[in-house]
Amino acid sequence: MREAGLNSDDYDLFLSKKSKVKAAPNIQVFQTAAYLAATTLTPSANKVLMYFLSISHFENYVNLDQQTLRDDLNISLSATEKALKELYDNGVILKTKHPTDKRRNDYFINPMSAWKGKILNRKIALNALTHASENQWHLFEEDY
């Protein structure tokens, strides 16, 4: 530390042995999205959101098509479409065209709503979103 010009009195150093116990899969949900789910979203939109949270991959990617979503949640086509539109319009999810099948959308949970992955990658995703889509930020007033 001294070689780097740092004063060791300014830092606390803690050493701990890494745990060999693997943590259960988890996702961090932020309060703004939880509040929206509790106060504004319809039951179908909440159901789809909870399902998305439960199956999302790292960096919030949700890999499924609408047919699978309908089958797994046992909801109608119109309820599925309305729920996805509601989540998108409220900035909870993001959607893009699938890279190889232009008839299909890929879904991501907005990193301002929830995050699964490394914190640094969340910051990168937030930075990319600020430049990509104003529509997705209207709900979230936080400054990152």
Side-chain angles (χ1 to χ4, degrees), residues 15-64:
L15 295 176
S16 64
K17 188 175 180 180
K18 287 187 178 181
S19 173
K20 292 183 181 183
V21 178
K22 292 196 176 212
N26 63 74
I27 188 165
Q28 185 177 20
V29 178
F30 300 105
Q31 287 178 318
T32 306
Y35 182 79
L36 177 72
T39 60
T40 305
L41 298 179
T42 62
S44 292
N46 264 312
K47 192 173 191 177
V48 171
L49 174 59
M50 292 301 115
Y51 187 68
F52 274 23
L53 291 170
S54 72
I55 65 165
S56 68
H57 299 278
F58 280 100
E59 266 81 77
N60 291 9
Y61 177 60
V62 179
N63 183 22
L64 86 156

Side-chain angles (χ1 to χ4, degrees), residues 3 9 13 15 18 21 27 31-33 35 45 55 64 79-80 92-93 95 115 118-119 122 134 143-144:
E3 291 173 4
D9 294 335
L13 180 63
L15 295 176
K18 287 187 178 181
V21 178
I27 188 165
Q31 287 178 318
T32 306
Y35 182 79
I55 65 165
L64 86 156
T80 302
V92 177
I93 64 169
K95 66 180 179 180
W115 186 250
K118 295 180 179 178
I119 296 298
R122 178 176 181 256
E134 280 296 315
D143 214 4
Y144 286 89

